[in-house]
């Protein structure tokens, strides 16, 4: 393939703030952005390329959903009803519902069923301009099913034009057969499954759920240590329902991100800043669980901790397959600005995944673009339940 030019567009490069360029042209060669600037300054050598007039539409980096549990069996609509009848998320979990019920459904699903149900959700994200999706394991909680989840996640990238980054989340919940024996679960299942995932090239990162209803910091640390020995980057579900110092622990392991963070304190923010960890905001879970304490957005801003925004797509606390809605919620519920929300679903999401070749529009980055039928990028966060995507461009023009 040679190259092409996109002309007559407004481009939000997201390199620094929106980085808006009006009446812009963008040149792609061999799937890589090679030039971006004003149309009337387009270099002579690019004029030979086929060009497409975008009629003033807005181009942004393709969106990145950097935290999902999109591969899983079953659903939890009944649990949703229970919560509406008054049960809390923790009560549902302690009563054998919650994560563990999805574990049964996931173990009971065939690989084909897991793939098919995940693809239906993935297609919703793609339809909104998403080109990279992070997908976690964590509903298998036995070696075989954890690996099956990760294989399914990899298979999605073969079935759709989307990049998938996998995170091993064996330390997500204690399965029923290890009830009250979380340490034995970590030794017998979680660490061996992590090693197998690493050996089979199925894990790009390692995650955990550090919480009273899941694993304590000492248990999480054993997993993070093994990940580090295996050369895998780490991230962590931390401070979602209480403050156990999870983000600080993850920061000691150079975490790419700490996620949720509603109960994070100033100390934790400082530790994240020092480690360069991204704060992944998951307003879909906050909304679904009707949380009231918002993450320390002002402290992240003051300290310069990057904020990403993701769906947390999962069957329990965030049955959400719209990253645009997550961006709207990040603004309305967390008081992030539309500019921060868009950076959160592009540049900062890329950082949260350790990806350097996507998330902004600049020479050398991959051509992973979203073209929108809107004039200003704030519209992406402003509308609720409206999808203004015109097209996604990944590599070639199609
Ligand atoms: N935090 C979450 O929000 C999801 N996992 C986690 O560690 C919830 C998963 C579920 O309820 O199934
Ligand atoms: Fe999650």
């Amino acid at each position: 393939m040679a190259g092409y030019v996109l002309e007559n567009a407004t481009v939000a490069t997201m390199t620094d703030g929106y980085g808006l360029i009006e009446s812009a042209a963008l040149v792609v060669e061999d799937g890589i952005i090679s030039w971006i600037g004003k149309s009337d300054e387009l270099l002579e050598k690019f004029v030979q390329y086929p060009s497409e007039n975008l009629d003033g539409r807005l181009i942004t980096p393709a969106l990145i959903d950097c935290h999902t549990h999109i591969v899983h069996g079953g659903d939890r609509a009944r649990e949703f009803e229970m919560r509406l009848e008054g049960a809390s998320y923790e009560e549902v979990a302690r009563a054998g519902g919650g994560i563990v019920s999805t574990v049964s459904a996931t173990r009971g699903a065939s690989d084909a069923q897991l793939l098919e149900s995940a693809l239906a959700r993935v297609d919703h994200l793609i339809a909104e301009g998403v080109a990279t999706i992070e997908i976690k394991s964590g509903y298998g909680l036995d070696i075989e099913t954890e690996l099956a989840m990760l294989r399914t996640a990899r298979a999605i990238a073969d079935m759709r034009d989307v990049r998938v980054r996998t995170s091993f989340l064996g330390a997500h919940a204690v399965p029923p057969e290890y009830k009250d024996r979380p340490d034995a679960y970590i030794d017998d299942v979680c660490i061996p499954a992590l090693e197998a995932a690493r050996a089979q090239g199925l894990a790009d990162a390692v995650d955990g759920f550090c919480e009273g209803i899941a694993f304590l910091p000492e248990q999480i640390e054993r997993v993070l240590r093994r990940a580090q020995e295996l050369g895998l980057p780490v991230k962590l579900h931390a401070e979602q329902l209480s403050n156990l110092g999870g983000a600080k622990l993850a920061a000691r392991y150079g975490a790419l991100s700490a996620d949720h963070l509603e109960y994070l304190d100033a100390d934790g923010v400082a530790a994240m800043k020092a480690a360069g960890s991204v704060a992944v905001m998951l307003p879909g879970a906050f909304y679904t669980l009707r949380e009231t304490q918002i993450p320390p957005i002002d402290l992240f801003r003051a300290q310069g901790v990057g904020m990403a925004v993701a769906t947390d797509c999962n069957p329990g606390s965030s049955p959400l397959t719209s990253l645009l809605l997550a961006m709207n919620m990040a603004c309305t519920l967390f008081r992030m600005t539309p500019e921060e929300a868009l950076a959160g679903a592009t540049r900062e999401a890329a950082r949260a995944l350790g990806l350097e070749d996507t998330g902004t529009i600049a020479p050398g980055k991959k051509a992973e673009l979203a073209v929108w039928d809107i004039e200003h990028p704030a519209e992406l966060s402003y509308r609720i339940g409206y999808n203004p995507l015109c097209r996604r461009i990944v590599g070639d023009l199609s």
Side-chain angles (χ1 to χ4, degrees), residues 131-143:
T132 301
I133 305 177
E134 186 262 10
I135 302 177
K136 302 176 195 298
S137 69
Y139 288 120
L141 309 184
D142 61 35
I143 296 174

Side-chain angles (χ1 to χ4, degrees), residues 69 76 79 89 98-99 102 139 169 172 209 237 240 260 285 312 314-317:
H69 309 249
R76 304 243 289 278
E79 176 184 321
Y89 184 64
I99 293 177
T102 300
Y139 288 120
L169 179 56
H172 191 199
F209 187 15
H237 289 68
Q240 180 186 8
H260 287 287
D312 196 15
N314 77 68
S317 66

Side-chain angles (χ1 to χ4, degrees), residues 263-307:
Y263 288 84
L264 187 68
D265 58 20
D267 231 28
V269 176
M272 287 183 66
K273 172 64 186 170
S277 306
V278 175
V280 179
M281 302 290 94
L282 303 170
F286 175 92
Y287 164 85
T288 303
L289 302 179
R290 303 182 74 228
E291 292 286 332
T292 51
Q293 175 154 331
I294 71 168
I297 301 287
D298 289 341
L299 286 178
F300 293 141
R301 269 191 203 121
Q303 299 259 336
V305 173
M307 291 179 277

Side-chain angles (χ1 to χ4, degrees), residues 243-268:
N243 184 358
L244 298 185
K248 205 170 168 178
L249 165 65
R252 281 206 277 116
Y253 286 82
L256 289 172
S257 72
D259 304 40
H260 287 287
L261 304 174
E262 278 81 347
Y263 288 84
L264 187 68
D265 58 20
D267 231 28

